[in-house]
Amino acid sequence: MREIARMIVVLSLISAVSGLLLAAVKTATRERIEEQELFYVKGPALEAVLPAHDNDPIKDRKRVSLPGGVELLVFPARTGGALTAVAFEASAQGYGGPYGLMVGFAANAEQLTGVAVTTHKETPGVGTRTMQQAFTRQFRDHPFSGLALKSAGGTIDAVSGATVSSTAAAAAAGQALALFTSGRPAILGAFQ
Amino acid sequence: MSGFGKEFTKGLWREIPPFRLVLGLCPTLAVTKAADNGLGMGLAVIFVLVLSNMAISAIRNLIPNKVRIACFIVVAASLVVMVELIMQAYAYPLYQKLGIFVPLIVVNCIILGRAEAFAARNGVIDSMADGLGIGLGYTVSLTFLGGLRETFGAGTLFGQAVMPAGYQPLGFMVEAPGAFICLGLLLGLMNLVSRLQGRKSPASVSELPAQCRACGSCYRS
């Protein structure tokens, strides 16, 4: 009996100390990790989705609250001070987990500027083919209408063999579009 | 040689992990596509191994025998998550390259093996020396293997071109089979060197230290 009690106490104590230490390290590194993620993950994605610009979209980012309580982290692209496009992330359920997609929207036209994948757990060599140019360039300058896979009545060709990942990409783009159309004044207004 | 020096140097040749102990092979084979990946992985393992050895050695008399493995795993897992967070904060590109293999340090046999075979039976200083030595040996092995594969597989070393301009990279070397073949050749080479040095395998079981007799994985089979 005493032995069991000792086992429980020791293991709990070790776990508690480990937990405390982990919480401390997590808190200490959180801000820096966020910055690093913005720089290394969102940075390349933004360069891929936004048109040519002369500002730093990461530095100029803003949190925008949409009607309905949704909060978005929006990255603007400017040329000569004028807003040309905005980009933000949306996500959908992919094959192995959340499929995060950075979606860019033109400021003065009813069209996307492009998409790029930010986070995913898709099968290497299969689902990851939805991250290649051949698939993502279909979204470049795509008008708002018909933003769905061909099987769902849209204009986007799915990657054969990667139906789930293709569907996730289209769903994330569709979700971003829904957010953009409903919150357009708030999103663009934040950068005027 | 003092105890510290002895425990430290054994990891560098006599018990160099991937080649002598033949432990921790999964990351050894998987991340050594390039020298800097091997180095980064090795450094992460040194950090975890030294701290886990020290922590386990410090609390070895408190840990009840029956739950010792669980305790070792909790300690190792916490340290690995710390490494992962620190790597994300300060070396994000390395974190992206090593990916899943950083969390998998938890189940790296070297960590648990050293905890069970050494740290649970020896003092803090000796355990630190053991962790440092084994970790450094692991780092050197991984960097060397990575360098070898990178040199022949991509014609570069630490990202710098080292092969003559006309060199056609052997793409095979940076793929999985290249890892096995390189490792096999290195193992063979090390055995050859040991044999030339005249070091024989123990003539009989009784010559082995008691701790080693009990395990026996190195001479049976």
Side-chain angles (χ1 to χ4, degrees), chain B residues 89-133:
Chain B
Y90 296 99
Y92 203 86
L94 183 66
Y95 169 76
Q96 283 176 310
K97 269 194 257 171
L98 296 181
I100 183 70
F101 293 101
V102 179
L104 280 183
I105 295 175
V106 180
V107 286
N108 189 325
C109 288
I110 296 174
I111 310 282
L112 200 60
R114 294 330 288 172
E116 173 79 0
F118 197 91
R121 299 196 179 95
N122 293 281
V124 177
I125 302 293
D126 280 354
S127 299
M128 188 179 88
D130 175 79
L132 211 56

Side-chain angles (χ1 to χ4, degrees), chain B residues 6-221:
Chain B
K6 196 173 131 244
E7 300 308 345
F8 177 69
T9 51
K10 73 171 184 229
L12 300 181
W13 176 262
R14 205 152 37 82
E15 292 185 19
I16 192 165
F19 304 128
R20 281 276 184 263
L21 301 181
V22 200
L23 283 180
L25 284 188
C26 171
T28 303
L29 295 168
V31 303
T32 55
K33 283 186 182 151
D36 52 350
N37 288 6
L39 185 65
M41 185 70 192
L43 292 178
V45 170
I46 291 185
F47 179 89
V48 175
L49 192 55
V50 169
L51 288 181
S52 85
N53 261 9
M54 286 170 73
I56 286 163
S57 164
I59 56 171
R60 68 185 189 280
N61 294 327
L62 291 175
I63 298 177
N65 202 32
K66 281 182 185 158
V67 289
R68 65 181 194 285
I69 300 289
C71 293
F72 298 162
I73 295 276
V74 171
V75 171
S78 311
L79 288 166
V80 167
V81 177
M82 274 181 218
V83 169
E84 204 184 350
L85 288 170
I86 291 168
M87 206 183 258
Q88 276 185 66
Y90 296 99
Y92 203 86
L94 183 66
Y95 169 76
Q96 283 176 310
K97 269 194 257 171
L98 296 181
I100 183 70
F101 293 101
V102 179
L104 280 183
I105 295 175
V106 180
V107 286
N108 189 325
C109 288
I110 296 174
I111 310 282
L112 200 60
R114 294 330 288 172
E116 173 79 0
F118 197 91
R121 299 196 179 95
N122 293 281
V124 177
I125 302 293
D126 280 354
S127 299
M128 188 179 88
D130 175 79
L132 211 56
I134 297 272
L136 209 59
Y138 191 60
T139 309
V140 170
S141 315
L142 254 62
T143 313
F144 183 69
L145 195 57
L148 206 63
R149 290 178 64 195
E150 193 183 347
T151 306
F152 291 105
T156 60
L157 189 61
F158 287 104
Q160 305 292 318
V162 286
M163 283 301 202
Y167 179 70
Q168 279 294 322
L170 287 163
F172 161 79
M173 287 290 273
V174 290
E175 303 295 336
F180 282 101
I181 285 170
C182 276
L183 185 73
L185 288 176
L186 284 176
L187 273 172
L189 208 62
M190 282 195 68
N191 283 344
L192 190 69
V193 170
S194 290
R195 185 164 300 173
L196 291 180
Q197 281 177 340
R199 218 178 263 154
K200 285 177 287 184
S201 52
S204 68
V205 176
S206 58
E207 278 179 29
L208 294 165
Q211 194 180 317
C212 210
R213 262 199 308 267
C215 158
S217 59
C218 56
Y219 64 89
R220 266 177 219 144
S221 82

